[in-house]
Amino acid sequence: MAASDTERAQQQIDEIEALSSIYGDDWCVVDEDEKIYCIKISDCLDQPKWTLCLQVILPPGYPTAEPPIYQLNAPWLRGQDYTELANSLEEIYLQNLGESILYLWVEKIREVLVEKAQSSDPEPDIKKTTEEVDEDDGDDFLLDYQPTQEDQTKMLNYMTSESHEDEELPPIHHGNPITDRRSTFQAHLAPVVTTRQVSR
């Protein structure tokens, strides 16, 4: 027999109260009416070096008929790391269909962060250069692009030139497309210094 909307709503309330009690200040209500919540998860060390923010939206059908809608946020989380973690969360959902799973998700993420902290992984490097990013797996968004020397020279020449009418367009860098749940995303970046460059 399917759970009623009232039963599902009560299950959500019970789960949120439990998570709030367990995680304290790390649990945050973003929008109670829209059922949007956020939790900061770390690797449990006294001075954690691996942290991640899990944001979830609980749809009306959760937990019996719909999974939570989630977003994983961390400056170091991209490419294969993101894919592996997302797959783990979806696997937990499938193994526990109809159950409240947020606690399992949080602890799985914490387990991954602890493994990173205990392994030989260096501390998160959130300032990769474009050269380093190009060597990575193909799913990177190039979100933390750092201008190359050539780009900086072009910007300097632009700022010091007297006539801007015939200046070249700034170099545009294109990230690799990434597909997630039938949506495709691609980042495009360009170092600009004036509104005219933005328009062009």
Side-chain angles (χ1 to χ4, degrees):
M1 182 172 149
S4 69
D5 290 346
T6 308
E7 288 171 326
R8 279 196 288 258
Q10 189 57 50
Q11 285 176 296
Q12 290 188 16
I13 290 167
D14 292 345
E15 183 175 19
I16 295 311
E17 285 180 357
L19 292 165
S20 175
S21 173
I22 293 166
Y23 298 115
D25 292 343
D26 288 337
W27 177 264
C28 171
V29 178
V30 178
D31 187 327
E32 191 149 14
D33 293 336
E34 297 295 324
K35 303 279 181 73
I36 304 173
Y37 306 94
C38 187
I39 180 164
K40 183 181 174 188
I41 309 164
S42 67
D43 56 28
C44 292
L45 299 177
D46 290 338
Q47 294 182 313
K49 63 180 183 178
W50 295 93
T51 60
L52 183 150
C53 183
L54 169 68
Q55 184 170 307
V56 293
I57 302 173
L58 302 185
Y62 174 80
T64 56
E66 290 181 87
I69 299 161
Y70 71 92
Q71 187 171 328
L72 301 166
N73 297 315
W76 53 269
L77 186 66
R78 47 164 113 45
Q80 190 175 352
D81 280 337
Y82 185 96
T83 304
E84 287 177 1
L85 192 47
N87 288 344
S88 295
L89 299 189
E90 282 155 30
E91 195 174 309
I92 288 171
Y93 170 72
L94 292 173
Q95 289 171 350
N96 298 275
L97 283 175
E99 303 294 322
S100 300
I101 57 164
L102 294 184
Y103 175 79
L104 297 175
W105 275 11
V106 172
E107 291 310 307
K108 176 60 182 179
I109 293 168
R110 193 185 311 283
E111 180 185 309
V112 168
L113 298 181
V114 168
E115 283 174 11
K116 278 193 161 301
Q118 292 173 345
S119 74
S120 58
D121 282 3
E123 292 202 24
D125 177 12
I126 60 173
K127 292 189 176 179
K128 287 186 171 185
T129 65
T130 42
E131 290 80 14
E132 290 171 316
V133 170
D134 287 342
E135 292 167 10
D136 269 355
D137 293 332
D139 293 336
D140 295 334
F141 274 91
L142 295 174
L143 284 178
D144 40 12
Y145 161 74
Q146 298 292 312
T148 62
Q149 186 63 44
E150 180 187 356
D151 296 334
Q152 289 167 343
T153 304
K154 283 183 184 175
M155 278 195 280
L156 185 60
N157 289 343
Y158 173 80
M159 287 187 287
T160 54
S161 66
E162 291 181 8
S163 170
H164 304 317
E165 294 307 315
D166 59 352
E167 99 270 1
E168 291 181 31
L169 278 175
I172 300 174
H173 301 270
H174 307 283
N176 294 313
I178 181 170
T179 302
D180 182 22
R181 285 169 286 198
R182 294 181 299 210
S183 296
T184 301
F185 305 91
Q186 183 176 18
H188 306 278
L189 304 157
V192 295
V193 292
T194 70
T195 53
R196 188 190 295 109
Q197 280 185 310
V198 174
S199 302
R200 293 191 62 194

